[in-house]
Amino acid sequence: MKQTLTLALLLLLAGSFQLSGQIQLPYILNGAATQRTCNCYILTPDQQTTSGTVWNKNKINLRQSFNYVFDVNLGCKDDNGADGIGFILQTKGTNLGATGQGIGFKGISPSLGVIIDTYQNNDENDPPFDHLAIQMDGVTDHHSSNNLAGPVTALESSNNIEDCQWHLFRIQWDAVRQQMDVSMDNVLRLTLNKDLVNDIFGGDAEVYWGFAGSTGGYSNLQQFCAALRPAFNFDAGQIFCDGTPIQFKDYSSSFGAITHWWWDLGDGTFSAAPQPPAHLYPSAGHYQVKLVIADNSGCISDTLKAPFIVGAYPVANFAPDVLCLGGRMTMSDQTSIAIGTLKKWEWDWGDGTTSNSQNPLAPYATTGARNIRLTVTSEQGCTNAVEKSVLVSQTPTINGNGENVCLGSSTHFEGVNLTPATPINSWHWDTGNQATLTGIQPTYQYPDTGHYLVRLYAVSNDGCPSPEINMPVTVTAVYARAGRDTIVASGQPLQLQAQWGDDRLQYTWSPATGLNNPYIPNPVALLHTDQTYRLTLVSPEGCRDEDQINVKVYKGPEFYVPNAFTPNNDGRNDVFRVIAAGVPQLDFFVVWDRWGQEVFRSSNLTGDWDGTCQGHTAPAGTYVWMVQGVDYTGRRFSRKGTVTLIR
């Protein structure tokens, strides 16, 4: 029957238990030891040169078996922490303990200690890892005959137990077999077969038990609890699905006998039974189960809060509806689930074969209809299935081409079906510049020149896409550039140069007068009169362009210099310059005023004086000039004279 009591109310109903303050248990505390909670004790605070012991004041009889379970916490300081704690059996009393590397065990004899040592003392032959050992008579040297078992790592999978975590520490004594088993976190770490009563305690079976801890030059917060750890588990094969009752099984650990259980199942249902009845949750969802336990010492545990999922059933689905031999043969799981996580997929191909992949490759080698069944299971064990008829079809094979064109003309494309038995439903073109086309023979005009990689695929009538093919398309534009108009001396060789480097182009210079070869990009002209040449370029695609260059021929080599100029910005005779016919290299061209002050200098063949000096207008008058250069034969010569600046 569903109960509406809260955990707090259930706790109050346990009237024999004290729910606040500390319960006085049968323990004697010495040194720095303090009681932290009802069942938990601090052996040493995080201080140097400190010791603490907690002894049960009631002796136990070693002729009787026991199974003691504790939680231990060795602190958080790994590199600079110390020293450790030990579970000790002894006959000397309840006021024992010492600081430093002896861990409160050293010197107690007769005794048996299960020691968790977190510091490497070389004089005691300690290993470099946090270790566990069984020793006797207060001797902590591992090379001594009093080292009965170990040392081994305290944790199975780690060298460090100073990890801020609580670990379940179990000491189990079988008096009949005279065997002691020591476990950490439910993993067996040490076993000792020995007659403890006679070999250690001289026939005295009555011993005190307790914990000791110590620090020396290093320190750590070291604690233990008489275990009171709530936990639950489930039967093997239990599923956690909407509509299925859930059976919780108590899996708690306690030093003493567990006397009370308080369950909150997360949906308003409570139970005080050790094992609640199988519970049916109202719907799929995320729940939080809480469990509190109490033992015969009167202590109440912390609340275990465990997230728990009641899963929904998957909605199984898959795609595609058409598989393509030679192409798309991968199945795509499209299952959804409202609550839970998908975990397992089982494909039945209908031909006796199966697969467990989420997105497997279908095994078919021939065309035809196939019945495929997919069964999906979640982590919570919820299962659902779907079955579909899937068509296995042939993948088409295609080819295509696109013509190279001149800029401004449209490119014509054409697709070719190489498998006529597989009809094509649609053609899909990517022009290589983010434009797309459809159809078997589309056209497209590119906005600019370039080399474009066109991609094409086709889709059959059954929906199978072909493999994508690539084809290059070149859009060409020709720009004839014959060069700037120039001057030469009569008989001076002139190197012409078309400013477009492409071996695929056809070059023609006309007329051929004076040219050594009119059909190359860079012919040499030898002229005695003025000449205009026209350059014609033609590409393999038929693209054509023309340009011309004017060549002025002077007698020379010589410098031609005017005797006057008028820098009035009317577009006529505005600058004073030298015409250097047959002189490819100018040393200098200098102008001075009548007082010998330099007003202009240039070594550039195209340099000219605009009638200014240092940014100011030069006055009208007569100026002296001189020019010097090297002609095309290598001869250096100069000329000088005067020029009149007219305003």
Side-chain angles (χ1 to χ4, degrees):
M1 180 177 71
K2 179 176 288 189
Q3 303 175 44
T4 58
L5 298 175
T6 64
L7 273 179
L9 181 56
L10 283 171
L11 292 173
L12 290 173
L13 291 176
S16 60
F17 293 92
Q18 183 176 343
L19 300 184
S20 63
Q22 294 179 336
I23 295 174
Q24 298 301 315
L25 298 177
Y27 293 109
I28 305 297
L29 279 62
N30 301 293
T34 57
Q35 184 178 6
R36 182 173 64 84
T37 63
C38 175
N39 61 314
C40 294
Y41 298 85
I42 295 175
L43 291 170
T44 67
D46 188 6
Q47 298 174 4
Q48 297 177 347
T49 319
T50 303
S51 69
T53 58
V54 176
W55 301 104
N56 192 297
K57 63 184 179 182
N58 300 313
K59 287 186 176 182
I60 60 172
N61 191 324
L62 292 179
R63 299 193 189 282
Q64 298 176 359
S65 300
F66 64 79
N67 183 9
Y68 288 169
V69 185
F70 306 95
D71 283 303
V72 294
N73 188 308
L74 279 295
C76 302
K77 296 162 62 176
D78 180 20
D79 294 334
N80 58 350
D83 275 320
I85 65 175
F87 171 82
I88 302 170
L89 303 176
Q90 49 87 16
T91 59
K92 292 298 184 181
T94 57
N95 61 348
L96 307 177
T99 62
Q101 66 190 57
I103 310 180
F105 169 69
K106 193 170 186 178
I108 300 177
S109 180
S111 65
L112 178 82
V114 182
I115 307 301
I116 307 173
D117 195 337
T118 60
Y119 189 81
Q120 184 180 14
N121 294 292
N122 294 322
D123 60 335
E124 294 189 340
N125 298 293
D126 286 342
F129 46 81
D130 295 347
H131 54 281
L132 191 65
I134 303 177
Q135 297 166 282
M136 64 179 283
D137 291 344
V139 177
T140 53
D141 186 346
H142 293 301
H143 284 185
S144 166
S145 60
N146 287 356
N147 192 102
L148 304 180
V152 297
T153 56
L155 302 178
E156 180 186 39
S157 58
S158 173
N159 290 338
N160 174 40
I161 197 173
E162 298 164 289
D163 57 3
C164 298
Q165 304 298 314
W166 287 93
H167 298 279
L168 197 66
F169 184 40
R170 184 184 297 271
I171 313 292
Q172 190 168 5
W173 168 245
D174 188 326
V176 176
R177 294 191 300 159
Q178 296 186 339
Q179 177 174 308
M180 177 175 284
D181 291 329
V182 179
S183 301
M184 191 71 74
D185 294 333
N186 293 315
V187 178
L188 181 64
R189 306 301 296 134
L190 293 172
T191 295
L192 173 66
N193 293 102
K194 194 171 186 64
D195 183 352
L196 302 186
V197 174
N198 294 312
D199 293 350
I200 297 180
F201 296 107
D204 187 355
E206 300 287 329
V207 298
Y208 294 105
W209 69 267
F211 273 88
S214 68
T215 65
Y218 293 91
S219 63
N220 239 329
L221 174 63
Q222 303 181 128
Q223 309 171 72
F224 85 95
C225 298
L228 191 58
R229 183 183 290 193
F232 62 84
N233 210 331
F234 306 95
D235 286 329
Q238 170 76 65
I239 65 171
F240 310 95
C241 302
D242 187 15
T244 301
I246 308 299
Q247 180 67 68
F248 297 93
K249 299 188 68 175
D250 178 54
Y251 198 64
S252 302
S253 301
S254 174
F255 175 78
I258 301 175
T259 58
H260 289 77
W261 293 259
W262 298 288
W263 297 82
D264 177 349
L265 301 185
D267 65 345
T269 302
F270 300 88
S271 175
Q275 178 173 302
H279 182 61
L280 181 62
Y281 281 85
S283 63
H286 295 262
Y287 299 93
Q288 181 171 258
V289 178
K290 299 177 184 178
L291 173 61
V292 177
I293 60 174
D295 67 7
N296 58 355
S297 70
C299 293
I300 298 174
S301 72
D302 293 334
T303 301
L304 168 68
K305 299 178 181 180
F308 179 77
I309 297 177
V310 176
Y313 283 90
V315 180
N317 195 15
F318 62 83
D321 295 328
V322 177
L323 294 172
C324 307
L325 292 178
R328 183 183 63 202
M329 292 294 289
T330 300
M331 301 304 301
S332 173
D333 169 55
Q334 296 185 348
T335 301
S336 61
I337 187 169
I339 302 292
T341 304
L342 301 179
K343 180 180 181 180
K344 186 169 65 173
W345 294 262
E346 299 173 90
W347 298 83
D348 184 338
W349 304 115
D351 60 358
T353 62
T354 60
S355 174
N356 297 116
S357 298
Q358 181 178 3
N359 299 298
L361 195 66
Y364 307 117
T366 59
T367 60
R370 301 288 191 276
N371 287 326
I372 299 177
R373 181 179 178 83
L374 170 62
T375 303
V376 185
T377 305
S378 71
E379 285 187 353
Q380 292 70 37
C382 311
T383 298
N384 205 346
V386 63
E387 185 170 334
K388 291 184 182 181
S389 177
V390 173
L391 176 65
V392 181
S393 185
Q394 187 65 50
T395 296
T397 302
I398 64 167
N399 203 348
N401 55 71
E403 60 181 347
N404 299 328
V405 297
C406 301
L407 184 64
S409 299
S410 294
T411 296
H412 294 269
F413 297 101
E414 182 177 12
V416 179
N417 184 3
L418 301 179
T419 50
T422 305
I424 299 298
N425 176 263
S426 60
W427 299 83
H428 303 269
W429 303 79
D430 182 331
T431 61
N433 66 339
Q434 299 183 340
T436 58
L437 308 171
T438 58
I440 191 171
Q441 292 180 325
T443 61
Y444 180 71
Q445 183 172 319
Y446 285 90
D448 201 356
T449 60
H451 299 283
Y452 299 92
L453 186 63
V454 179
R455 299 191 299 273
L456 168 65
Y457 74 93
V459 179
S460 72
N461 288 349
D462 289 337
C464 289
S466 72
E468 185 177 83
I469 64 169
N470 298 326
M471 65 195 80
V473 169
T474 299
V475 179
T476 304
V478 175
Y479 300 99
R481 296 292 183 268
R484 298 177 61 181
D485 295 346
T486 188
I487 62 172
V488 294
S490 178
Q492 175 191 355
L494 172 63
Q495 177 72 67
L496 298 176
Q497 180 64 59
Q499 298 175 17
W500 184 280
D502 191 335
D503 294 339
R504 301 183 314 122
L505 299 179
Q506 175 184 327
Y507 297 84
T508 303
W509 297 84
S510 62
T513 303
L515 299 178
N516 65 334
N517 187 342
Y519 304 111
I520 61 176
N522 54 348
V524 175
L526 196 63
L527 299 172
H528 298 284
T529 60
D530 296 348
Q531 182 65 57
T532 296
Y533 289 110
R534 177 168 294 277
L535 170 65
T536 302
L537 270 61
V538 180
S539 75
E541 296 80 17
C543 308
R544 180 187 183 94
D545 197 29
E546 295 182 349
D547 191 28
Q548 68 181 31
I549 181 173
N550 298 309
V551 182
K552 184 73 174 178
V553 179
Y554 291 84
K555 291 183 179 180
E558 188 54 85
F559 294 114
Y560 294 91
V561 184
N563 57 12
F565 74 111
T566 57
N568 56 5
N569 295 320
D570 64 354
R572 295 181 299 172
N573 299 320
D574 284 330
V575 294
F576 175 53
R577 61 168 165 251
V578 61
I579 297 175
V583 182
Q585 177 182 334
L586 193 66
D587 293 334
F588 59 82
F589 175 37
V590 185
V591 180
W592 296 272
D593 64 15
R594 58 184 174 177
W595 294 283
Q597 179 181 352
E598 183 178 299
V599 297
F600 173 75
R601 174 181 290 269
S602 176
S603 59
N604 193 328
L605 285 169
T606 60
D608 50 45
W609 182 37
D610 62 358
T612 63
C613 180
Q614 297 181 352
H616 300 286
T617 301
T622 301
Y623 292 81
V624 178
W625 58 266
M626 183 175 182
V627 63
Q628 178 178 297
V630 180
D631 69 16
Y632 72 89
T633 66
R635 177 178 67 94
R636 176 172 276 105
F637 70 103
S638 63
R639 298 285 186 268
K640 62 182 178 179
T642 62
V643 62
T644 300
L645 190 158
I646 301 173
R647 294 287 182 188

